[in-house]
Amino acid sequence: MFVFEVEGKDVNSFARCGKIVTGHGVIQTPVFMPVGTQATVKALTPDDLYELNINVILANTYHLYLRPGADLISKARGLHSFMNWNKSLLTDSGGFQVFSLSRLRQITDEGVYFRSHIDGSRHFLTPEMVMNVQQQLGADIIMCFDECCAYDCSYEEAHNAVTRTTKWAERCLSAHEPEGQALFGIVQGGMFEELRSKSMDQLIPLDFPGYAIGGLSVGESKDDMYRVLSFTAPKLPDDKPRYLMGVGSPEDLLQGVKNGIDMFDCVLPTRLARHGSAFTSKGRITVRNFTFAEDFSPLDDECDCYVCKNYSRAYIRHLIKAGELLVHRLLSIHNLYFLENLMKNIRNSIKIQKFNEFHHDFLVKYNSSSNARN
């Protein structure tokens, strides 16, 4: 079961709001999806995520294939049952992880040879194998196997990656058993608009139920990312969800929505939490800094999350300095609440035709503090 419906559009931009319906519930869009790489959003339980009104999370095919293995998860009746998560799940294909392991892999037209980052064992991933693994995992939304290239790669390298990504998408489609799972295609092309067009021209006729934009937020400048995003996103089918992979800072979420993106994911909120940083309405703060040692105000005085209602900056800083694990949970709850609340406010602003005003006002305040780290 997979349905996407656009329920509202902003008249002054490409922003839109709507919903995705899967076999595990309704996802209001635009949506930010927390990343649960190894079948867990770090430091949090499913109940924590339910309390945050999170309806979809992402898990990582590459990591779960290596450990504990798709066969074991299949024996546990799939990933939902294995991790005790009863809402929607998306699994990525492992293409980005293969890209990030450039020293450990060799790409061919048939597939990718790579060595495990865990034990050095040798593996070979093909589009058909990736489909089989994701079908065993049983997520509601799954991704085609693709080749992601570096932001500073040559035109020839990006062209070859687009060609290979298309061929792999066709093979994924042939191997895909559509019962209960929606398969998304992934647009590649590096920083080259001509290649982005070529990738879309080749993938859109394959009629996937959704399309992702890959190969952004991989080290390029904000200007380049926004240029490619604004060129690519509005050209994707209007009646299908558009997914910008690996993006999660507030300013990037707003820019993505402005260009018509419906889905986002990123490790940023929980990674920042593990490094002692928090989103606030006036920018990011590093709570471990001495300036917060006697600051008994909440992380964000405009936030209604559990953490801001119950704990001070001084207490959270104390936990960081003492090496207490509780701080990872508290900051993760706050950071995810902040982004989920941002997405809710974005959806509401689109419904009342005030997205541009909201976008402007949010960024003015977010960039107003000397603590802002964008």
Side-chain angles (χ1 to χ4, degrees), residues 63-122:
H63 287 281
L64 294 175
Y65 158 73
L66 289 178
R67 184 173 56 193
D71 288 342
L72 186 146
I73 292 174
S74 180
K75 289 177 183 177
R77 293 179 291 113
L79 195 53
H80 285 91
S81 175
F82 186 60
M83 64 185 293
N84 191 32
W85 175 253
N86 62 28
K87 296 192 177 183
S88 297
L89 267 172
L90 182 150
T91 48
D92 62 8
S93 67
F96 178 78
Q97 284 66 42
V98 167
F99 156 74
S100 66
L101 295 171
S102 58
R103 296 180 181 178
L104 301 173
R105 52 92 166 140
Q106 177 187 359
I107 300 176
T108 70
D109 288 342
E110 182 60 27
V112 180
Y113 294 93
F114 71 95
R115 291 195 177 276
S116 165
H117 70 285
I118 299 171
D119 59 11
S121 56
R122 188 168 171 83

Side-chain angles (χ1 to χ4, degrees), residues 10 12-13 15 30 250-251 253-255 257-258 281 302 338-366:
D10 179 62
N12 298 308
S13 70
E251 64 273 21
L253 295 177
L254 285 160
Q255 190 71 22
V257 170
K258 179 181 178 180
S281 57
E302 297 184 21
F338 183 90
L339 292 188
E340 292 300 323
N341 192 57
L342 171 61
M343 301 311 289
K344 181 180 74 172
N345 290 334
I346 287 173
R347 292 193 294 269
N348 289 338
S349 74
I350 295 170
K351 290 175 184 177
I352 62 174
Q353 293 298 318
K354 290 190 175 181
F355 171 73
N356 279 2
E357 180 180 336
F358 174 81
H359 185 181
H360 173 268
D361 292 347
F362 177 90
L363 289 182
V364 167
K365 183 183 289 186
Y366 190 75

Side-chain angles (χ1 to χ4, degrees), residues 314-325:
Y315 177 69
I316 291 172
R317 180 181 184 272
H318 156 69
L319 294 180
I320 294 170
K321 302 303 286 186
E324 289 290 342
L325 297 179

Side-chain angles (χ1 to χ4, degrees), residues 122-265:
R122 188 168 171 83
H123 300 265
F124 183 54
L125 284 182
T126 66
E128 292 78 11
M129 182 179 178
V130 168
M131 287 297 96
N132 179 257
V133 170
Q134 290 190 88
Q135 286 161 18
Q136 286 183 286
L137 297 179
D140 303 280
I141 302 170
I142 63 177
M143 307 302 296
C144 284
F145 197 38
D146 63 319
E147 182 182 349
C148 180
C149 53
Y151 74 93
D152 56 353
C153 70
S154 67
Y155 182 91
E156 181 180 5
E157 289 171 321
H159 181 274
N160 291 340
V162 166
T163 300
R164 191 170 283 134
T165 292
T166 299
K167 290 179 179 178
W168 287 357
E170 293 169 344
R171 289 166 59 186
C172 285
L173 202 56
S174 295
H176 177 229
E177 298 175 7
E179 184 73 26
Q181 291 184 308
L183 174 63
F184 281 25
I186 304 177
V187 175
Q188 290 291 350
M191 300 298 110
F192 303 98
E193 294 178 9
E194 177 187 343
L195 294 180
R196 290 284 173 176
S197 285
K198 179 172 183 168
S199 184
M200 288 187 283
D201 289 345
Q202 294 173 346
L203 291 177
I204 290 173
L206 298 179
D207 197 28
F208 290 102
Y211 289 88
I213 299 174
L216 293 182
S217 194
V218 292
E220 76 279 6
S221 68
K222 291 279 191 187
D223 286 345
D224 273 340
M225 182 173 79
Y226 292 168
R227 173 180 59 80
V228 173
L229 172 63
S230 64
F231 175 82
T232 307
K235 293 180 172 60
L236 290 171
D238 189 64
D239 61 343
K240 297 182 179 182
R242 303 160 176 164
Y243 168 23
L244 179 57
M245 306 179 80
V247 167
S249 69
E251 64 273 21
D252 292 348
L253 295 177
L254 285 160
Q255 190 71 22
V257 170
K258 179 181 178 180
N259 286 286
I261 296 295
D262 306 294
M263 304 166 66
F264 304 85
D265 83 277

